Amino acid sequence: RDILERTLGNHCLQRNAGWWTYELCHTRHVREFHGANKIDMVTGVSRQVVEEEHMLGHYDIDASESYPDVEEVNHVINATDSDLGPKKKNVVKSGKPAGTPPPPPDAGGNGAVFVQEYLHGDVCEDPDVTDSVVKAGGIVDGGIQRATMVRFSCGKNYELVKVSEDSTCHYVFDVTVPALCKHPLFKAPMVKTQVVKCLPID
């Protein structure tokens, strides 16, 4: 959490996926929106105007910061650590097996991800929400609230690299953070190499 706070702070990361642009504002919210450029007829200046927007979840400070630093390992999937052993599967605080959905194949380091849930987004109006009730933020007026799992992994750039919807109105944002590559839980295991020198036989 400290690494994310130092490096991402209150910055927002965006990814355009055609009609929708997805946005993660660290420790605030996640959303999808459609924007269009509008030209001010008086000044001639172009600016982007949000025409449609869905809040996909809000940062839950109680769920994300209520545990001590020593328990952060419980929120890391596929962590490698000398005390844990390689590639130990952990269970996130919600009680769901943290290995589902699987970490992104392009996650750097050892492939570990730190998981945070953003809950209580806009109510989902999709008629096919029965499978999402377990994952999403809560049941409201017969529908469910949108929710998002954010997975932080080691990577070359500070980037929102992938957005997917693993069930109706429950989203997964994959974010790479270069500073995580130095953390022991995210480091790739060292591979020992041996040099073999061949000499001719007389």
Side-chain angles (χ1 to χ4, degrees):
R1 293 177 293 189
D2 288 343
I3 291 174
L4 297 178
E5 184 61 33
R6 285 196 312 269
T7 56
L8 295 178
N10 289 323
H11 296 292
C12 297
L13 300 173
Q14 293 184 348
R15 180 170 186 83
N16 183 275
W19 178 263
W20 294 112
T21 296
Y22 294 92
E23 179 181 73
L24 163 68
C25 291
H26 182 57
T27 68
R28 286 182 284 164
H29 65 260
V30 289
R31 68 175 180 153
E32 65 180 0
F33 66 92
H34 172 68
N37 289 324
K38 301 287 184 182
I39 298 176
D40 187 308
M41 299 306 288
V42 176
T43 64
V45 175
S46 176
R47 64 185 181 93
Q48 189 177 59
V49 175
V50 174
E51 295 185 333
E52 190 175 355
E53 173 185 51
H54 296 118
M55 296 304 294
L56 305 183
H58 297 276
Y59 184 73
D60 186 340
I61 194 167
D62 292 330
S64 298
E65 299 185 16
S66 62
Y67 56 90
D69 290 346
V70 295
E71 292 182 12
E72 282 184 345
V73 67
N74 296 329
H75 299 262
V76 178
I77 303 168
N78 289 342
T80 298
D81 183 79
S82 58
D83 296 329
L84 294 173
K87 302 285 185 182
K88 177 168 180 174
K89 297 284 184 183
N90 295 303
V91 176
V92 294
K93 194 169 187 174
S94 65
K96 295 178 296 187
T100 306
D106 54 350
N110 63 2
V113 293
F114 177 70
V115 176
Q116 288 183 334
E117 289 281 347
Y118 283 63
L119 307 173
H120 311 299
D122 291 345
V123 174
C124 183
E125 298 173 357
D126 193 299
D128 182 27
V129 295
T130 54
D131 293 338
S132 301
V133 173
V134 176
K135 291 185 177 180
I139 301 172
V140 178
D141 297 328
I144 60 164
Q145 294 173 315
R146 299 172 192 266
T148 302
M149 173 191 290
V150 180
R151 304 187 301 185
F152 299 94
S153 64
C154 160
K156 293 180 180 178
N157 303 304
Y158 293 97
E159 184 181 4
L160 174 54
V161 294
K162 183 180 177 186
V163 175
S164 59
E165 193 173 357
D166 64 339
S167 63
T168 305
C169 298
H170 186 268
Y171 306 83
V172 179
F173 280 32
D174 288 312
V175 178
T176 53
V177 179
L180 287 177
C181 299
K182 297 179 181 178
H183 192 284
L185 295 176
F186 292 83
K187 281 185 179 178
M190 295 295 291
V191 178
K192 295 181 180 179
T193 58
Q194 293 183 341
V195 176
V196 177
K197 186 174 182 180
C198 298
L199 299 172
I201 300 175
D202 292 333

